[in-house]
Amino acid sequence: MSELKIRGLRVSVEDKAILKGVNLTVRAGEVHALMGPNGSGKSTLSYALMGHPKYEVNGGEMHLDGVDIMEWSPDERSRAGMFLAFQYPVAIPGVTLANFLRTALNARRKADNHEDKGIPIPEFRKLLKEKMDYLGMDHSFAGRYLNDGFSGGEKKRAEILQMATLEPKIAVLDETDSGLDIDALRTVSEGVGALKGPNLGVLVITHYQRMLNYIKPDIVHIMLDGRIVESGGPELALQLEEQGYDWVREKYSKIAI
Ligand code: ADP
Ligand code: MG
């Protein structure tokens, strides 16, 4: 069973300390929601988890299945089974979603076996169709250029399809804090609902309480000023929905920075 374990993670961006000691464990089979006000460091955590070079790790530990991955490149982390859905995915005109997915899948296969010649195209087409049918997506979607002119909901749909195809062990989905429409919310939550299972651990990052109307997380965390200050069950989500973040700020206002 897969496990991502983070201990005392400290991260800075452009010499500004953002994460100030994050502890978090996500296991396969669990859906975690990471909530918190804007600017609390949620996206910074997702970038640090994926190994973005701009996010400097100043301390702490990061283990995937007991292996220290802190020095690993984003590519190595991905091949080891981590998946990060970017908050602002880039558009690649000229590259279809299907081609992109096949390239990504082949990179994964080659990492597992150097001899691998890549998935045969008919087999890939079959796989992609199965995944799209399972997720209720129109087959024409895979023929579109990656994120080119995609709506917020379509970008999320592309991410979910990528996740379904690559079958990661641990997926981190960071929600955009602006322009997130109901369509996108529903796509992510239905996708997570469809893909969740004993072999997948999910960390959904969101600012919005309303996200929790769609995703039913097993464990809810609240991040405030670069730390996870509260963790609990779904009841924590209900409390946030009713009371917002003010009580959290009040409770932790005395913590020194
Ligand atoms: P959240 O996702 O919770 O809204 P972020 O992780 O995006 O929070 O941001 C946390 C803090 O880090 C903010 O003060 C933000 O201005 C700063 N920050 C994040 N990314 C960058 C960056 N690339 N360059 C400069 N500052 C950044
Ligand atoms: Mg963010």
Side-chain angles (χ1 to χ4, degrees):
M1 200 184 67
S2 280
E3 180 187 79
L4 175 69
K5 193 170 176 179
I6 304 158
R7 286 291 170 272
L9 184 65
R10 290 187 291 116
V11 172
S12 61
V13 185
E14 288 162 2
D15 293 331
K16 183 181 165 201
I18 309 290
L19 299 186
K20 300 165 184 171
V22 172
N23 300 317
L24 178 67
T25 302
V26 179
R27 296 187 184 89
E30 298 171 346
V31 176
H32 293 240
L34 179 64
M35 317 273 306
N38 272 327
S40 53
K42 304 184 299 295
S43 294
T44 300
L45 175 62
S46 76
Y47 285 118
L49 283 176
M50 222 45 202
H52 192 297
K54 203 172 166 185
Y55 294 77
E56 196 189 334
V57 175
N58 307 117
E61 292 170 21
M62 200 186 286
H63 289 92
L64 180 65
D65 299 338
V67 180
D68 181 357
I69 61 167
M70 197 75 102
E71 301 299 323
W72 289 17
S73 68
D75 187 44
E76 287 168 318
R77 294 178 197 207
S78 162
R79 281 186 269 129
M82 287 179 67
F83 177 82
L84 174 70
F86 282 102
Q87 197 168 14
Y88 304 104
V90 289
I92 313 183
V95 175
T96 63
L97 180 55
N99 263 326
F100 169 76
L101 291 173
R102 188 161 60 87
T103 306
L105 187 63
N106 282 341
R108 166 74 56 81
R109 284 168 60 124
K110 209 163 173 70
D112 290 342
N113 172 14
H114 279 290
E115 308 288 302
D116 192 273
K117 296 279 184 289
I119 183 169
I121 289 181
E123 194 184 317
F124 175 73
R125 285 216 183 99
K126 186 165 165 280
L127 174 81
L128 194 56
K129 272 189 189 147
E130 279 169 11
K131 300 288 184 189
M132 295 181 92
D133 286 343
Y134 183 67
L135 295 167
M137 294 178 186
D138 195 288
H139 291 179
S140 66
F141 187 54
R144 291 183 55 188
Y145 291 149
L146 185 63
N147 291 322
D148 193 20
F150 279 20
S151 69
E154 286 168 340
K155 284 180 184 171
K156 289 293 160 194
R157 200 160 294 153
E159 279 172 5
I160 294 294
L161 184 59
Q162 196 183 339
M163 198 167 122
T165 309
L166 293 179
E167 298 181 350
K169 296 172 183 168
I170 303 286
V172 181
L173 303 160
D174 193 355
E175 285 313 300
T176 174
D177 287 343
S178 59
L180 191 84
D181 54 18
I182 290 296
D183 184 28
L185 269 180
R186 199 169 284 147
T187 299
V188 172
S189 42
E190 286 177 0
V192 168
L195 299 176
K196 77 183 260 192
N199 299 319
L200 174 67
V202 184
L203 177 65
V204 182
I205 300 178
T206 184
H207 165 71
Y208 288 103
Q209 282 94 288
R210 65 178 178 177
M211 179 83 174
L212 305 172
N213 296 332
Y214 297 89
I215 289 196
K216 299 279 178 248
D218 305 303
I219 301 157
V220 178
H221 309 275
I222 304 176
M223 181 171 268
L224 187 72
D225 191 26
R227 292 182 184 91
I228 290 176
V229 293
E230 292 269 338
S231 296
E235 73 283 353
L236 194 53
L238 291 178
Q239 193 178 354
L240 282 180
E241 196 173 1
E242 280 166 17
Q243 302 172 19
Y245 289 111
D246 283 352
W247 64 275
V248 188
R249 286 199 187 88
E250 232 153 81
K251 189 170 168 185
Y252 293 97
S253 62
K254 292 187 191 71
I255 288 186
I257 292 177

